[in-house]
Amino acid sequence: MEWQDQAIVLGARKHGEGHAVLTVLTKENGLASGYVRGGSSRRQRPVLQPGNQVQVTWRGRLEEHLGSFRAELVKSLAPGLFSSPDRLAALNATTALLMAALPEREAADKIYNETLVFLTLLTGEAAKPEWGAELVHLECLLLKLSGFGLDLEKCAGTGETQNLTYVSPNTGRAVSLEAGAPYKEKLLILPSFLTTNEVPTEADILAGLRLTGHFISGHVLHGENRGVMTARDRLLSYFSIK
């Protein structure tokens, strides 16, 4: 069997003497892994860096086999990313989350496209709140596709569509300022940029990442995959409340 696809590199681990197992997010074939001969070599390592866009060819005797990849670089990350600790933390947290949360070989074109938008902002001239907001949107989409989408259109208690300020940590539904006032210590903050066109601050992004992280940890990640939250906690440390 053989297929070709556009892909985003999520990770590559050494395998044997000088080789690697590559994991990518593809446009048509979803999350996929494959053996890359010489993948740990000096020539191949720059191609297999997380976040790079590549064209891959997968070959295997049966679809369920690991198979092998040939990867050709399409676009590499901006060199400056590796000297920017907050952006590098965002890249590491995102690639780790996608590898842990997505099922193998299931079409994920919406996630692929949203991830491309995020990486474009992350490696470009976008300010931290801008690429941070896109990351929150990406995680909201991941929650939705995992079967636990947030319901942020109206208040769970009153049906009100204005002054939505909180989110129930149990149901993922929005709660208005008035309805949530007696329980605000137990509710999650709903940053306004998720329901309006307001420009977010770093504090808003931090609230958004805490919101999505609560549900990702509880409903998407299981068992050994919970270690992914460590990389995410490192990212949160780069956002400050001012």
Side-chain angles (χ1 to χ4, degrees), residues 140-172:
C140 285
L141 176 60
L142 181 62
L143 282 168
K144 181 179 180 180
L145 296 180
S146 297
F148 198 88
L150 302 179
D151 183 354
L152 307 179
E153 294 186 357
K154 60 183 180 180
C155 175
T158 65
E160 183 182 354
T161 58
Q162 302 297 317
N163 298 316
L164 301 178
T165 308
Y166 306 106
V167 174
S168 165
N170 298 318
T171 66

Side-chain angles (χ1 to χ4, degrees), residues 26 52 66 76 82 115-116 153 158 162 171 195 202 205:
T26 67
N52 281 356
L66 175 64
S76 61
F82 296 98
T115 302
L116 272 186
E153 294 186 357
T158 65
Q162 302 297 317
T171 66
T195 56
E202 286 194 31
I205 303 305

Side-chain angles (χ1 to χ4, degrees), residues 25-180:
L25 173 60
T26 67
K27 185 173 180 62
E28 303 294 338
N29 295 276
L31 186 72
S33 297
Y35 178 79
V36 179
R37 183 173 294 278
S40 296
S41 67
R42 184 175 299 178
R43 183 177 66 85
Q44 285 271 49
R45 279 201 306 271
V47 176
L48 306 185
Q49 289 296 314
N52 281 356
Q53 295 176 41
V54 294
Q55 182 74 22
V56 294
T57 300
W58 180 89
R59 291 189 179 94
R61 192 167 65 85
L62 295 174
E63 186 176 357
E64 60 268 24
H65 287 180
L66 175 64
S68 63
F69 268 138
R70 185 176 73 249
E72 298 178 3
L73 183 65
V74 174
K75 182 179 180 181
S76 61
L77 287 176
L81 182 66
F82 296 98
S83 61
S84 179
D86 53 350
R87 293 175 187 251
L88 187 57
L91 173 66
N92 291 338
T94 303
T95 54
L97 175 59
L98 292 173
M99 283 194 288
L102 292 175
E104 290 256 2
R105 305 290 177 85
E106 288 190 14
D109 57 313
K110 291 182 179 179
I111 287 287
Y112 177 87
N113 291 333
E114 197 79 15
T115 302
L116 272 186
V117 173
F118 165 67
L119 289 174
T120 299
L121 293 174
L122 186 69
T123 59
E125 299 297 325
K128 188 187 296 184
E130 188 176 355
W131 58 255
E134 183 57 36
L135 177 54
V136 176
H137 287 302
L138 172 60
E139 292 189 344
C140 285
L141 176 60
L142 181 62
L143 282 168
K144 181 179 180 180
L145 296 180
S146 297
F148 198 88
L150 302 179
D151 183 354
L152 307 179
E153 294 186 357
K154 60 183 180 180
C155 175
T158 65
E160 183 182 354
T161 58
Q162 302 297 317
N163 298 316
L164 301 178
T165 308
Y166 306 106
V167 174
S168 165
N170 298 318
T171 66
R173 299 181 67 186
V175 180
S176 68
L177 178 62
E178 182 178 0

Side-chain angles (χ1 to χ4, degrees), residues 144-224:
K144 181 179 180 180
L145 296 180
S146 297
F148 198 88
L150 302 179
D151 183 354
L152 307 179
E153 294 186 357
K154 60 183 180 180
C155 175
T158 65
E160 183 182 354
T161 58
Q162 302 297 317
N163 298 316
L164 301 178
T165 308
Y166 306 106
V167 174
S168 165
N170 298 318
T171 66
R173 299 181 67 186
V175 180
S176 68
L177 178 62
E178 182 178 0
Y183 318 101
K184 62 180 182 179
E185 299 302 324
K186 298 181 178 179
L187 299 174
L188 299 165
I189 298 298
L190 172 58
S192 58
F193 77 90
L194 286 177
T195 56
T196 70
N197 292 322
E198 289 186 20
V199 177
T201 63
E202 286 194 31
D204 293 329
I205 303 305
L206 181 59
L209 290 171
R210 285 174 172 166
L211 172 64
T212 52
H214 173 82
F215 294 104
I216 287 171
S217 178
H219 298 277
V220 177
L221 301 177
H222 306 283
E224 62 183 22

